C-alpha cells in the first residue's frame, strides 16, 4: 500500500457504530479518524463488506471511541493503516488519561472531562530525560532489547527496541544526554538494510500481547495489606483475581485499598465505566498519598485510565487493552505491576452493545457468544516472567446485576482467574468490610504469610461458627450447649477482629506480614486453648451471658488494638491479652 491518503465518507450513524463507503483498500482492525466539525474522532474498523449500491466501492463498519454528537452522513473518514495502539515510553507513570490515552489532566483540569476529539500528546513532549546508552555502534539488537535507559521516578526505565523489530545493527547512538521523546536517540538498520530511527517512545498495538521471555507460575505472595486476602486468599505476583460483588458491596473501596497498600513497583488503574465522581475523587486523593514502599508520592508508581460512565461505551473496550499493554511493557522491563480494573462488567457490556448493534447472534444474556474466550484472553495476558523477573497481576472487579454470580461474565471470570474474591451482600449489609465471604473464595497461591495448617484451622473455626450461628437462628440459643457457644464466640472474634478491617482508618487499613504473624499467633492460641467456664451456680443461660460479655470485652479491646497499636510493645500486647483472657477464664474455674 502506498502513502496516498485513504479516505471514505460516512453513510450511516448508529450511536457509536458507523458505516462508511470507501474506494481504496481497507484493513480489518485498522484505526480511522472521522472529521466532525473540524475535530478528529478515533474509530476502529470492525467489518468490511461489498457495497450493494456501488460495485467499485466497499462499506466498512467501525466503532467510534469518542462522542459522535454533531456527526453527519457524508463526514470524512481517513484510514490510518495502524491498529489501535498505545504510546509507550518514559512519562507513563504519574499520568492520568481517558481510555484512549488522551491525557486528562491537561485537557480538562477543572473537571477531568474531555472535549471529544481534542488532542494532546499522550506523553509530555517537552520533558527532558537523562538518557544513558547501553549498546554501541555495531551491536546487534532485536525487538524488546534495551538500547539504554532513563530514570523515571525511582525506576530505571529501559528504552526498548520496538517489539515488532527483527535483528538490527546499531548504526549510531547518542551518548549520555538529556533528550525529550521527540528526539532520535539511535539509528538501526534491519536485515533488509532499511534504516530506522529510535526514540524514547514507540507505539505498540494493544490487542495482541507483548510476549513473555519465559512465562512462570506466580509464586511470590503479594502483601496487599488487606488481612482477609493475605491470610486466607492471597494473590501472587503475576496472578489473576476476579472480584465480583453486588452494587455497594465494596469493590471500588477494595480496589483503592490495593492501589494504596499492595506492594508493587507499579499500579495501573483502569477505572472502566464506573461513576464519574469516583474517578475524579481518585485523581484528587491519590496525588496526596504516599507509596507504602518508598514514602514517595503514590502517583509516582501509578498511572490511571479514567474511563467513566459519561464517556462513550466503545472507549471502555479500548481502555482495558491499553492498560494491559502498558502493564506488559513494564513487566518486560522486570517490574512487578498490578493492574486493577473496575469494572470488567462495564467492559463486557461495551462488547455486548457493540455485538448487539452489529446484529451478531447473541449468547447468554445477550453477551457475545465468545465472551468467555474474550475474558480468558484478557486475564491470560497477566503472568509472571522469570526471563525478565517482572510480573503483571490482574485484579478485576465484576458487577453482576443483582449480585447474581450465575451470570455469564462472573462465570467466565471464575473460569479464567486463579483467584476469586466473592463479595457477599449479607456481609456488606451487616457492614462487615471488606465483604469478601471467608467461606466463598478461591486462591491459587499456596504460599501464604502463615502456614497451611494455621490457615485451615482459622477457616475451620470460621466455618464451625457459621454452622453454630445457623443452628442458633433455627432452634434458638437455648438448645446450644455452652462449649459450642464458646466455639461460636471464638469464630465471631476472628471474623470481627481479623477478617474485618476499616479501609478508612490510617492504621487499621493496612496490615503488613510482621503484624499478621502477631495476629496469627493470637488467633491460634485462642483457637487451641480450651476455655472452661465454671458454672459457679449459674444455669446455662446465665453462663452463656457471661461468655458473651467476656468475649465482647475481648473484641472491643482487640478492635482498639487494631486501630491504635503502633509501637512494638503495644503490638506485642495482643499476645499477652489473649493469654490473660484464656487464663482469667481458667482462674474462674
Ligand atoms: P461497589 O464498588 O461494590 O459498588 P463501593 O466500593 O463503592 O461499592 O462501597 C460502597 C460503600 O461501602 C463505601 O462508600 C463505604 O462506605 C463502604 N465500604 C466498603 N468497603 C469498606 C471497607 N473496607 N471499610 C469501610 N467501609 C467500606
Ligand atoms: Mg464501584
Amino acid at each position: 500500500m502506498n502513502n496516498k491518503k485513504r479516505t471514505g465518507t460516512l453513510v450511516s450513524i448508529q450511536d457509536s457504530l458507523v458505516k462508511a463507503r470507501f474506494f481504496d483498500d481497507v484493513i480489518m482492525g485498522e484505526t480511522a479518524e472521522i472529521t466532525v466539525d473540524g475535530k478528529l474522532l478515533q474509530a476502529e474498523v470492525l467489518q468490511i463488506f461489498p457495497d450493494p449500491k456501488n460495485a467499485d466501492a466497499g462499506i466498512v463498519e467501525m466503532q467510534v471511541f469518542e462522542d459522535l454528537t454533531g456527526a453527519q452522513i457524508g463526514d470524512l473518514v481517513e484510514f490510518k493503516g495502524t491498529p489501535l495502539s498505545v504510546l509507550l515510553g518514559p512519562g507513563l507513570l504519574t499520568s492520568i488519561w481517558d481510555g484512549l490515552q488522551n491525557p486528562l489532566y491537561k485537557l480538562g483540569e477543572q473537571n477531568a472531562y474531555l472535549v471529544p476529539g481534542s488532542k494532546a500528546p499522550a506523553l509530555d513532549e517537552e520533558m527532558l530525560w537523562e538518557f544513558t546508552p547501553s549498546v554501541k555502534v555495531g551491536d546487534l539488537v532485536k525487538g524488546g532489547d534495551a538500547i539504554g535507559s532513563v530514570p523515571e521516578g525511582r525506576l530505571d526505565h529501559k528504552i526498548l527496541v520496538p517489539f515488532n523489530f527483527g535483528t538490527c545493527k546499531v548504526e549510531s547512538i547518542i551518548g549520555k544526554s538529556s533528550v525529550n521523546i521527540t528526539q532520535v536517540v539511535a539509528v538501526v538498520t534491519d536485515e533488509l538494510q532499511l534504516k530506522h530511527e529510535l526514540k524514547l517512545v514507540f507505539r505498540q498495538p494493544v490487542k495482541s500481547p507483548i510476549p513473555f521471555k519465559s512465562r512462570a507460575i506466580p509464586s511470590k505472595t503479594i502483601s496487599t495489606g488487606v488481612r482477609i486476602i493475605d491470610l486466607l486468599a492471597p494473590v501472587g505476583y503475576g496472578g489473576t483475581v476476579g472480584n465480583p460483588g453486588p452494587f455497594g458491596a465494596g469493590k471500588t473501596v477494595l480496589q483503592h485499598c490495593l492501589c494504596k497498600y499492595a506492594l508493587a513497583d507499579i499500579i495501573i488503574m483502569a477505572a472502566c465505566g464506573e461513576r464519574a465522581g469516583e474517578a475524579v475523587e481518585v485523581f484528587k486523593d491519590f496525588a496526596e498519598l504516599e507509596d507504602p514502599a518508598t514514602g514517595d508520592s503514590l502517583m509516582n508508581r501509578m498511572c490511571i485510565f479514567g474511563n467513566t460512565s459519561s464517556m462513550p461505551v466503545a472507549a471502555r473496550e479500548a481502555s482495558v487493552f491499553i492498560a494491559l499493554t502498558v502493564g506488559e511493557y513494564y513487566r518486560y522491563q522486570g517490574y512487578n505491576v498490578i493492574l486493577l480494573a473496575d469494572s470488567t462488567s462495564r467492559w463486557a457490556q461495551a462488547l455486548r452493545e457493540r455485538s448487539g448493534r452489529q446484529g451478531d447472534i447473541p449468547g447468554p444474556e445477550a453477551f457475545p457468544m465468545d465472551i468467555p474466550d474474550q475474558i480468558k484472553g484478557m486475564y491470560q495476558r497477566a503472568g509472571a516472567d522469570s526471563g525478565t523477573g517482572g510480573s503483571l497481576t490482574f485484579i478485576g472487579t465484576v458487577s453482576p446485576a443483582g449480585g447474581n454470580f450465575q451470570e455469564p461474565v462472573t462465570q467466565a471470570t471464575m473460569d479464567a482467574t486463579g483467584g476469586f474474591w466473592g463479595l457477599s451482600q449479607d456481609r456488606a449489609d451487616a457492614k462487615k468490610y471488606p465483604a469478601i465471604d471467608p467461606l466463598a473464595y478461591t486462591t491459587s497461591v499456596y504460599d501464604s504469610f502463615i502456614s497451611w495448617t494455621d490457615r485451615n484451622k482459622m477457616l475451620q473455626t470460621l466455618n464451625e461458627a457459621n454452622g453454630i450461628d445457623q443452628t442458633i437462628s433455627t432452634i434458638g440459643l437455648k438448645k446450644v450447649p455452652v462449649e459450642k457457644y464458646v466455639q461460636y464466640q471464638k469464630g465471631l472474634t476472628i471474623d470481627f477482629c481479623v477478617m474485618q478491617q476499616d479501609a478508612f482508618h490510617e492504621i487499621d487499613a493496612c496490615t503488613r506480614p510482621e503484624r499478621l504473624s502477631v495476629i496469627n499467633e493470637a488467633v491460634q492460641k485462642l483457637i487451641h486453648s480450651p476455655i472452661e467456664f465454671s458454672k459457679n451456680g449459674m444455669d446455662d443461660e446465665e453462663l452463656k451471658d457471661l461468655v458473651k460479655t467476656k468475649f465482647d470485652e475481648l473484641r472491643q479491646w482487640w478492635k482498639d488494638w487494631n486501630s491504635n497499636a503502633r509501637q512494638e510493645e503495644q503490638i506485642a500486647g495482643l499476645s499477652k491479652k489473649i493469654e490473660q483472657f484464656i487464663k482469667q477464664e481458667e482462674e474462674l474455674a
Side-chain angles (χ1 to χ4, degrees):
M1 211 174 291
N2 57 29
N3 286 333
K4 164 174 149 287
K5 269 195 181 179
R6 292 175 300 123
T7 58
T9 48
L10 286 192
V11 293
S12 114
I13 304 165
Q14 198 193 2
D15 294 309
S16 59
L17 209 64
V18 300
K19 286 186 180 142
R21 175 169 292 124
F22 67 92
F23 291 92
D24 308 289
D25 296 325
V26 169
I27 317 162
M28 274 292 285
E30 74 171 304
T31 50
E33 282 174 352
I34 306 170
T35 309
V36 176
D37 288 339
K39 283 171 284 185
L40 297 175
L41 308 187
Q42 285 202 61
E44 180 188 27
V45 173
L46 299 178
Q47 289 193 70
I48 306 171
F49 316 100
D51 186 344
K53 291 183 185 159
N54 184 339
D56 295 331
I59 296 287
V60 279
E61 188 169 51
M62 300 183 290
Q63 65 172 335
V64 185
F65 297 117
E66 299 177 83
D67 187 0
L68 268 164
T69 311
Q72 289 178 340
I73 304 298
D75 279 347
L76 181 74
V77 178
E78 189 188 329
F79 300 100
K80 306 305 285 183
T82 47
L84 189 64
S85 63
V86 61
L87 187 68
L88 298 176
L92 286 165
L93 300 182
T94 73
S95 290
I96 299 170
W97 300 281
D98 74 351
L100 293 171
Q101 214 193 11
N102 295 306
L104 284 177
Y105 62 96
K106 273 189 199 131
L107 292 178
E109 260 170 355
Q110 307 84 346
N111 53 12
Y113 292 124
L114 268 180
V115 185
S118 52
K119 294 281 176 299
L123 296 172
D124 192 322
E125 293 186 340
E126 265 138 52
M127 179 120 130
L128 290 174
W129 302 92
E130 277 305 309
F131 177 76
T132 308
S134 60
V135 294
K136 51 186 192 316
V137 173
D139 282 354
L140 293 180
V141 290
K142 59 180 189 317
D145 285 352
I147 55 163
S149 65
V150 303
E152 180 181 26
R154 304 174 75 94
L155 304 184
D156 193 36
H157 189 126
K158 296 199 178 84
I159 304 306
L160 305 181
V161 177
F163 291 101
N164 60 349
F165 277 42
T167 304
C168 295
K169 194 162 124 212
V170 178
E171 292 296 332
S172 68
I173 183 156
I174 61 168
K176 205 172 154 73
S177 47
S178 287
V179 283
N180 67 33
I181 62 167
T182 68
Q183 291 171 283
V184 175
V185 294
V187 176
V188 298
T189 44
D190 63 21
E191 281 153 331
L192 302 171
Q193 300 309 312
L194 290 172
K195 278 192 167 32
H196 302 274
E197 294 182 334
L198 303 184
K199 300 177 181 174
L200 299 184
V201 295
F202 61 90
R203 294 205 75 89
Q204 173 71 22
V206 298
K207 291 202 172 165
S208 44
I210 293 175
F212 286 84
K213 268 191 182 165
S214 172
R215 195 177 181 125
I217 291 171
S219 56
K220 200 162 166 276
T221 308
I222 303 175
S223 163
T224 67
V226 181
R227 290 192 289 268
I228 188 164
I229 293 175
D230 292 356
L231 287 170
L232 299 181
V235 53
Y237 287 102
T240 51
V241 183
N243 179 208
F247 181 78
K251 298 179 294 294
T252 303
V253 171
L254 184 58
Q255 289 244 318
H256 290 184
C257 279
L258 297 170
C259 183
K260 291 183 215 166
Y261 305 117
L263 293 185
D265 298 311
I266 292 160
I267 308 267
I268 302 171
M269 285 190 92
C272 184
E274 287 297 302
R275 293 182 292 273
E278 277 180 355
V280 176
E281 228 170 80
V282 170
F283 301 161
K284 288 203 209 116
D285 285 5
F286 287 22
E288 288 157 24
L289 296 172
E290 275 183 12
D291 177 341
T294 62
D296 266 9
S297 160
L298 194 63
M299 285 305 291
N300 286 347
R301 70 162 188 173
M302 279 186 65
C303 60
I304 302 178
F305 294 90
N307 218 332
T308 65
S309 41
S310 52
M311 290 172 183
V313 162
R316 291 179 201 165
E317 191 193 330
S319 69
V320 176
F321 290 115
I322 289 184
L324 273 167
T325 310
V326 171
E328 290 169 337
Y329 173 64
Y330 279 109
R331 172 179 65 201
Y332 203 88
Q333 297 185 39
Y335 293 112
N336 288 314
V337 186
I338 300 178
L339 170 56
L340 301 166
D342 186 16
S343 124
T344 60
S345 294
R346 306 272 167 269
W347 171 83
Q349 281 161 10
L351 298 182
R352 174 163 70 183
E353 268 184 47
R354 157 148 76 84
S355 81
R357 286 207 196 93
Q358 282 185 279
D360 293 348
I361 298 166
E365 296 196 17
F367 282 105
M369 286 288 204
D370 67 345
I371 199 83
D373 292 334
Q374 299 223 35
I375 290 174
K376 212 166 264 169
M378 194 166 72
Y379 281 102
Q380 266 171 358
R381 292 178 66 170
D385 191 338
S386 58
T388 64
S391 67
L392 174 59
T393 307
F394 188 167
I395 302 173
T397 70
V398 188
S399 16
N404 169 24
F405 287 3
Q406 300 311 312
E407 61 86 41
V409 179
T410 313
Q411 286 297 310
T413 305
M414 265 175 123
D415 287 344
T417 56
F420 187 81
W421 302 331
L423 298 187
S424 122
Q425 182 80 62
D426 286 353
R427 285 182 74 85
D429 288 346
K431 304 237 172 302
K432 295 179 178 174
Y433 294 122
I436 297 173
D437 191 336
L439 308 174
Y441 70 85
T442 61
T443 169
S444 58
V445 180
Y446 304 102
D447 176 26
S448 168
F449 294 102
I450 60 171
S451 75
W452 252 115
T453 337
D454 285 1
R455 197 161 138 199
N456 282 339
K457 201 67 211 167
M458 220 183 264
L459 256 186
Q460 194 189 327
T461 311
L462 288 168
N463 243 322
E464 236 176 287
N466 190 51
I468 302 167
D469 188 29
Q470 278 170 14
T471 314
I472 294 174
S473 25
T474 39
I475 63 166
L477 179 58
K478 244 190 179 150
K479 295 270 196 289
V480 174
V482 176
E483 62 276 17
K484 280 272 175 215
Y485 189 63
V486 171
Q487 195 60 21
Y488 165 66
Q489 289 292 340
K490 285 183 180 179
L492 220 57
T493 307
I494 298 171
D495 189 345
F496 185 70
C497 304
V498 182
M499 301 304 151
Q500 296 169 39
Q501 197 170 356
D502 182 356
F504 304 108
H505 188 282
E506 62 158 328
I507 296 183
D508 195 30
C510 172
T511 306
R512 290 289 166 223
E514 314 81 65
R515 198 173 169 106
L516 276 185
S517 21
V518 174
I519 292 170
N520 181 45
E521 203 186 308
V523 166
Q524 299 303 327
K525 245 179 225 164
L526 189 68
I527 293 175
H528 292 282
S529 313
I531 311 175
E532 305 245 336
F533 292 89
S534 139
K535 281 207 139 190
N536 268 355
M538 285 185 276
D539 66 21
D540 275 5
E541 294 326 292
E542 288 166 329
L543 189 54
K544 281 179 211 165
D545 273 349
L546 175 76
V547 169
K548 180 173 184 309
T549 311
K550 290 282 176 193
F551 269 100
D552 275 345
E553 271 169 29
L554 174 67
R555 283 190 285 265
Q556 199 48 55
W557 186 95
W558 196 329
K559 215 50 179 182
D560 286 346
W561 181 89
N562 279 343
S563 17
N564 294 315
R566 286 170 199 256
Q567 263 102 41
E568 212 172 303
E569 200 178 314
Q570 292 170 309
I571 294 171
L574 178 63
S575 182
K576 289 202 197 86
K577 177 70 186 179
I578 297 295
E579 274 163 26
Q580 213 180 11
F581 180 79
I582 296 162
K583 235 191 307 170
Q584 264 181 21
E585 305 309 336
E586 280 167 357
E587 270 167 14
L588 272 176

